[in-house]
Amino acid sequence: MKDDAFRDHIRRLKDAVRGQDVAARIGMTGRGKRFFCPSCQPAGGKTPDLDVFDEGFKCYKCGKSGDAIDLAVLAGGMSVSYTHLRAHETDSYLVC
């Protein structure tokens, strides 16, 4: 039962964290809801190819996608466990 409770806790954290908030707090650059992908466009470029949604992100250039926690891991250089801890400690807002 502990595993189910842990999974439920992680799901609630992920649901509470918005992709736009993560992108803003990490300082990602781009235009509107599109940002430069930290994986395939780390130095920027002509057109930002990473789309950030409330529930996560998708890069249309390299295909990486995930939820807001995955975005923090990719763009912020944080581990998954540290990202979960920060989301929990900061009232579900990721702060780097």
Side-chain angles (χ1 to χ4, degrees):
M1 197 64 171
K2 288 182 181 180
D3 287 342
D4 290 338
F6 177 74
R7 283 188 196 103
D8 186 53
H9 177 72
I10 296 301
R11 183 192 52 75
R12 282 182 282 141
L13 281 176
K14 288 182 177 185
D15 289 345
V17 176
R18 296 183 35 207
Q20 290 288 339
D21 293 337
V22 172
R25 290 178 185 266
I26 290 174
M28 293 177 65
T29 58
R31 293 180 205 106
K33 288 186 176 185
R34 288 270 175 118
F35 295 88
F36 294 106
C37 178
S39 180
C40 66
Q41 299 176 302
K46 189 189 256 187
T47 305
D49 289 309
L50 185 118
D51 209 351
V52 178
F53 314 101
D54 284 345
E55 59 279 344
F57 73 98
K58 175 161 179 60
C59 178
Y60 296 102
K61 186 171 185 173
C62 70
K64 290 199 186 267
S65 64
D67 58 33
I69 300 289
D70 296 327
L71 179 59
V73 170
L74 179 68
M78 296 183 267
S79 70
V80 173
S81 58
Y82 180 76
T83 304
H84 288 157
L85 176 67
R86 294 298 297 154
H88 178 72
E89 286 178 346
T90 58
D91 229 0
S92 300
Y93 288 104
L94 295 170
V95 179
C96 299

